[in-house]
Amino acid sequence: MHAITLIFKEMKHIVKIFAALIILQACTGSDYKIEGTLPEQISADSVYLYLFPNETPSNSAAVVEHNFVMTGSIESPAIAQLSLKDKRTVWSFIAEGGDIKLVPEKNYASGTPLNEDYARWQDDIDSIVEICGRNEDSIMMVLPAYFEENWAKNKNDVIGASILLYCFDILGFDEVKAYYGQIGSEMENDTIVKMLKKRIDIVDNTSAGRKAPDAILHTIGGEDVSLLSLLEKDKYTLIDCWASWCMPCRMALPTIKEVAAKYPEMNVVGIAINDNPNKTVEAIANEGITWNVVLDPRADFAKDYNIMSIPAFILVNGEGVIVERYFNIDELESRVAKHLGER
């Protein structure tokens, strides 16, 4: 699978980001004590507690010989990060009432019910990653069964919704929608359920058969440009989502050139995602790219089109309807041929 993830670099890192998204159901306020020992390679005078999604610390504690104890009160459980002064995160865990012990050399905590649950989840995921030899295809075969078993027990609480959000790109979209339909109505106002619904709507609205939604991109010169203005009427357009830093993207360019040469009536547009404009220009020259290339500097287009890895390709027909999505470079010619004929 030739893809560089934009958001998740390793499956175990996905779990950490997944944890950072969970907002747990409200309960009565309670006192907490957080204690831990910083790894030997980290030197700091203080540590800071951040409660998601706040960007300012809610508490802090002095570090003495790598050890710290932080006490406070919290109204309801919340995803937390314990960070250094420069905002480097040392631990991600759940802030809740009770005695929370941050586990050395691990990115989670123990000592309270929700943290114990999260620790088991992360340990299981780490084990699956190791057993699969970090092979992405193998992981994607094993995790859906693990997800189904665990999510079914929590389908009407925020943990179930969070796991479903986490497994969104591992499960098929139809499966995600089916599981989402089983979530109880009492959860519809939950933050994670709303995030899940938004993600489903994005995929639904940018799937094959839908009109391509417009998006604001940028020219190499920095001017705004509409995506729809780049689609030529009555011509198919291949959208190549790439970046100069993405080696698989650059390895795909010869195939794109070959297919473009076979189908000269097809328009090609490159969208450089989260790329340095100067590096984009340099790559265009070095790779001999002749088609129009625009920029998506903050990956806004990528988010709105559910592009989680690159290279990614979208084929749009002359009426502005998406006709092909979610295929790899090896399938490019066959996908184009379905609409423009064998050559």
Side-chain angles (χ1 to χ4, degrees), residues 47-51 54-60 81 83 87:
V47 289
Y48 302 85
L49 179 68
Y50 290 83
L51 301 179
N54 297 330
E55 296 185 1
T56 56
S58 64
N59 203 349
S60 64
Q81 291 184 331
S83 303
K87 294 192 175 181

Side-chain angles (χ1 to χ4, degrees), residues 71-334:
T71 58
S73 180
I74 189 167
E75 292 185 4
S76 61
I79 288 305
Q81 291 184 331
L82 195 84
S83 303
L84 306 180
K85 188 175 183 179
D86 59 7
K87 294 192 175 181
R88 280 185 295 158
T89 298
V90 185
W91 280 279
S92 296
F93 60 99
I94 299 169
E96 61 177 327
D99 292 341
I100 300 170
K101 300 183 185 301
L102 299 180
V103 181
E105 307 303 329
K106 293 286 188 177
N107 190 50
Y108 53 72
S110 65
T112 57
L114 293 175
N115 280 301
E116 295 290 347
D117 286 345
Y118 171 61
R120 281 193 293 272
W121 166 257
Q122 185 166 357
D123 279 341
D124 286 348
I125 291 296
D126 286 349
S127 296
I128 290 172
V129 171
E130 293 300 326
I131 290 170
C132 292
R134 299 181 179 276
N135 180 278
E136 190 171 346
D137 289 337
S138 298
I139 292 168
M140 292 179 73
M141 291 178 63
V142 175
L143 271 182
Y146 176 80
F147 158 82
E148 182 177 3
E149 178 183 350
N150 286 273
W151 181 83
K153 301 171 186 175
N154 303 99
K155 66 180 182 179
N156 287 322
D157 63 35
V158 73
I159 298 298
S162 300
I163 296 173
L164 183 55
L165 183 63
Y166 158 65
C167 288
F168 199 104
D169 294 307
I170 300 171
L171 301 167
F173 182 55
D174 290 339
E175 285 78 4
V176 170
K177 289 181 69 175
Y179 284 124
Y180 175 80
Q182 297 175 33
I183 296 176
S185 59
E186 66 272 21
M187 293 291 296
E188 64 184 12
N189 291 322
D190 178 81
T191 301
I192 292 297
V193 173
K194 288 180 178 179
M195 292 171 64
L196 180 59
K197 178 62 165 58
K198 181 178 180 181
R199 182 85 187 277
I200 289 172
D201 288 345
I202 287 173
V203 175
D204 220 8
N205 292 334
T206 59
S207 295
R210 295 282 192 170
K211 277 272 192 179
D214 204 1
I216 299 301
L217 301 160
H218 302 282
T219 66
I220 296 296
E223 297 178 354
D224 289 353
V225 61
S226 160
L227 172 66
L228 297 185
S229 71
L230 302 172
L231 307 180
E232 297 187 18
K233 186 172 175 58
D234 299 326
K235 292 183 70 172
Y236 279 79
T237 296
L238 173 66
I239 300 174
D240 170 32
C241 303
W242 73 297
S244 66
W245 47 262
C246 167
M247 286 303 103
C249 299
R250 297 181 73 154
M251 290 170 61
L253 290 172
T255 300
I256 298 172
K257 291 178 184 178
E258 182 181 336
V259 173
K262 283 187 178 181
Y263 297 92
E265 71 274 28
M266 181 179 69
N267 179 37
V268 180
V269 174
I271 299 180
I273 295 174
N274 196 25
D275 207 1
N276 181 308
N278 293 330
K279 295 293 185 182
T280 304
V281 171
E282 183 179 317
I284 291 171
N286 291 340
E287 300 290 352
I289 296 173
T290 57
W291 50 81
N292 193 10
V293 175
V294 293
L295 306 174
D296 181 27
R298 295 181 299 274
D300 293 328
F301 166 82
K303 295 170 189 172
D304 290 344
Y305 269 73
N306 192 51
I307 294 169
M308 306 301 293
S309 65
I310 54 175
F313 310 101
I314 304 170
L315 187 63
V316 182
N317 69 15
E319 287 72 49
V321 175
I322 298 169
V323 293
E324 298 289 343
R325 278 216 66 178
Y326 305 115
F327 59 92
N328 60 42
I329 188 62
D330 296 329
E331 301 173 280
L332 176 58
E333 185 169 355
S334 64

